[in-house]
Amino acid sequence: MTPFTYAEAHAQDFVEQLKEWLRIPSISTQSELKPELERAAFWLRDHCLSIGLTRAEVFPTPRHPVVYAEWLGAGPNAPTVLVYGHYDVQPVDDPYREWKSDPFEPVEREGHLYGRGATDDKGQTFIHLKAFEAHFRATGSFPVNVKFLVEGEEESGSESLPAFIQANVDLLRADVLVISDSHIISTEQPSLVYGLRGIFTAEVEVFGPRGDLHSGSYGGTVHNPVQALVEILAQLHDAQGRVTVPGFYDDVLPLLAEDRRALAQSPMDEARLVKETGVPRPWGEPDYSIAERIGARPTLELNGIVGGWIGEGSKTVIPARALAKISCRLVPNQDPNQIFALLQQGIAALTPPTVRSEVRMIHAGGPAAMVPIDAKPIQAAVEAYEAVFGTRPLFLREGGSIPIVAGLQGALDVPVVLMGFGLPDDNLHAPNEKFTLAMFHKGIQTMLHFYQRLPALL
Ligand code: BES
Ligand code: ZN
């Protein structure tokens, strides 16, 4: 049996095992689910040991544990691959009633596996475990040494991970870092991500009167905090969609001609955006194409806003406070802490003397990451995609963030390969997240090609 035929013969077993992992509701932002994150970590450790990895451990951190596993049987002269992934998932109240089936009871429908984490990122991480298992069980060996680093805080900013990496640089030492936590263009057209945006998240709270007031007795005499908040928020962009926070763009590097050429190949354009999202018209910086706005421009997004009465019927009240959640996507050369400080100053300057405001960091996320595409492992990735999909991948910059990538790249000084197997319509962070099963199986085949090609290139 070859690794490829092993994977084909066990395709359904692999899916059933993935379903077990998906049943564990490991939502990292919900503190009451902490035991479930532990359960997901220990499930993974046990699974790693069951497929032939020789060491697998759960390391506690101040928040959710990190799972580390390895097989170093290829020997000291063979290259070592570090696979990074995350076992935490996004919340499901998005809204919950729009899920057609229980987010934590994965089901197969029409060739897709539905469930929270199916793609992001349990399913995509599982591809690597199954590629290892297929090769190891079929041949008794693996072409390279492998290390797995799978964390539980990616969806909440990877806050505990930098300290873990600093303390374990030797343990994590590798020749290449491989991550499957992104998507390709379509089942027919693979793509390789060569840039990810950075991110930080924050909240702004506006305080007015000491407590809620009767709007008849006080309306027109105190500045309503909900009103003041939206007045502030409304000034954070200009009419062209540019962020107005002073200094926001100061460190942004001009877009290179080669980036513009690469992004011009992206299928994402105005028509596709309208079709995918249902908006009447696109919006945003007019000097940049849609693909450039997504992959190569920084943004400031309002993620949510609360304040005052939102229950049934009306309540004539002037609320005491109002709050908004904000995130900024960043591009290379922008520092998350510095941009956060600019946001704080900008909002302070916009706050009228009639209310008080506070801007707090939720998490510092991480800076943008760029992957040099002339690195040798990229060649292996190109060939692997071509072998399975019959077409060479396009190189694209993506708008999403994997906060730790730049940190890992720096701490370990390794080339990074971002090989996604998701599809643009997988409903990440939304109801009915799904993984196309053909992509799961093609992912395993692609990774087998990748791992087999790597030793000759490094
Ligand atoms: N898998 C995504 C990142 C991603 C999305 C890469 C789309 C490429 C294309 C990842 O799990 C994610 O969603 N990250 C968060 C991080 C944040 C919560 C700190 C993100 O980008 O919002
Ligand atoms: Zn993810």
Side-chain angles (χ1 to χ4, degrees):
M1 206 176 246
T2 72
F4 296 95
T5 54
Y6 182 100
E8 278 159 25
H10 291 82
Q12 193 55 38
D13 300 338
F14 291 175
V15 174
E16 296 306 322
Q17 293 161 357
L18 174 57
K19 285 183 191 169
E20 267 185 42
W21 200 21
L22 292 175
R23 284 190 190 103
I24 307 175
S26 44
I27 303 171
S28 56
T29 45
Q30 281 169 231
S31 39
E32 76 278 9
L33 289 176
K34 194 164 178 26
E36 300 295 344
L37 282 112
E38 263 173 42
R39 216 149 64 80
F42 280 100
W43 186 94
L44 176 60
R45 178 202 63 180
D46 293 346
H47 194 75
C48 286
L49 293 172
S50 78
I51 61 173
L53 293 166
T54 43
R55 174 179 174 188
E57 276 178 55
V58 173
F59 287 84
T61 77
R63 267 180 76 218
H64 304 311
V66 166
V67 180
Y68 172 82
E70 67 180 27
W71 181 86
L72 305 180
N77 296 324
T80 300
V81 177
L82 175 65
V83 178
Y84 162 85
H86 62 93
Y87 67 80
D88 66 320
V89 299
Q90 281 275 321
V92 292
D93 52 352
D94 36 28
Y96 186 81
R97 63 173 186 280
E98 283 186 20
W99 281 85
K100 294 200 183 84
S101 55
D102 185 334
F104 297 110
E105 190 40 68
V107 288
E108 290 173 54
R109 285 199 303 268
E110 290 157 8
H112 309 290
L113 179 62
Y114 285 85
R116 177 56 93 224
T119 304
D120 187 7
D121 185 42
K122 286 172 175 165
Q124 291 194 83
T125 301
F126 214 58
I127 282 175
H128 294 267
L129 294 168
K130 296 297 107 177
F132 174 82
E133 177 186 338
H135 202 289
F136 188 66
R137 293 293 179 220
T139 69
S141 187
F142 200 64
V144 293
N145 299 306
V146 268
K147 299 177 172 184
F148 285 90
L149 170 66
V150 185
E151 67 150 323
E153 294 179 17
E154 197 271 351
E155 300 291 7
S156 50
S158 298
E159 285 191 297
S160 302
L161 205 51
F164 177 83
I165 294 166
Q166 279 320 314
N168 294 283
V169 170
D170 288 331
L171 183 70
L172 301 174
R173 194 63 72 204
D175 301 293
V176 50
L177 169 62
V178 182
I179 304 173
S180 295
D181 191 17
S182 51
H183 52 75
I184 63 170
I185 291 172
S186 71
T187 48
E188 274 79 52
Q189 179 58 65
S191 46
L192 263 163
V193 175
Y194 75 96
L196 289 166
R197 287 194 289 188
I199 188 170
F200 73 82
T201 60
E203 57 192 13
V204 49
E205 188 158 16
V206 169
F207 303 90
R210 207 178 300 117
D212 288 6
L213 300 174
H214 190 291
S215 68
S217 306
Y218 295 98
T221 64
V222 299
H223 199 166
N224 183 313
V226 174
Q227 180 188 337
L229 175 63
V230 298
E231 285 166 357
I232 292 168
L233 299 178
Q235 295 176 72
L236 294 175
H237 295 88
D238 67 15
Q240 307 281 297
R242 283 176 60 90
V243 178
T244 55
V245 173
F248 187 80
Y249 294 101
D250 283 2
D251 294 332
V252 176
L253 307 169
L255 200 51
L256 299 173
E258 62 202 69
D259 283 312
R260 291 210 121 149
R261 266 198 303 277
L263 287 167
Q265 304 237 38
S266 164
M268 180 55 90
D269 58 13
E270 301 219 346
R272 182 165 170 144
L273 180 82
V274 166
K275 188 160 169 279
E276 270 184 20
T277 63
V279 294
R281 295 187 64 138
W283 175 92
E285 295 180 281
D287 297 341
Y288 297 91
S289 72
I290 302 294
E292 288 168 357
R293 288 178 218 168
I294 293 170
R297 292 294 291 167
T299 64
L300 185 159
E301 295 294 333
L302 308 176
N303 304 121
I305 178 166
V306 285
W309 180 249
I310 49 149
E312 194 180 347
S314 63
K315 184 166 187 264
T316 46
V317 69
I318 297 173
R321 52 178 65 189
L323 179 124
K325 301 255 181 184
I326 296 179
S327 56
C328 286
R329 298 281 168 180
L330 307 174
V331 296
N333 209 39
Q334 282 186 301
D335 172 56
N337 287 298
Q338 213 174 318
I339 305 296
F340 170 72
L342 293 175
L343 178 67
Q344 268 186 319
Q345 289 157 23
I347 287 180
L350 291 172
T351 304
T354 44
V355 292
R356 192 170 64 75
S357 75
E358 239 176 60
V359 183
R360 300 180 290 262
M361 177 93 92
I362 299 173
H363 61 68
M370 294 296 279
V371 171
I373 61 173
D374 48 6
K376 294 207 174 92
I378 296 280
Q379 189 52 39
V382 169
E383 290 172 12
Y385 274 122
E386 194 173 12
V388 173
F389 291 82
T391 324
R392 287 172 80 77
L394 296 175
F395 286 95
L396 293 178
R397 284 174 71 163
E398 274 292 348
S401 308
I402 306 175
I404 205 61
V405 174
L408 272 171
Q409 222 173 359
L412 304 176
D413 190 24
V414 275
V416 181
V417 188
L418 299 164
M419 294 181 77
F421 296 101
L423 291 171
D425 64 352
D426 281 339
N427 300 325
L428 302 194
H429 299 204
N432 306 306
E433 178 177 347
K434 66 172 186 289
F435 199 6
T436 298
L437 286 162
M439 292 302 299
F440 175 58
H441 300 302
K442 278 187 173 182
I444 297 169
Q445 306 276 329
T446 306
M447 292 324 300
L448 283 170
H449 282 283
F450 174 80
Y451 291 122
Q452 287 185 345
R453 278 169 166 75
L454 211 50
L457 285 165
L458 289 181

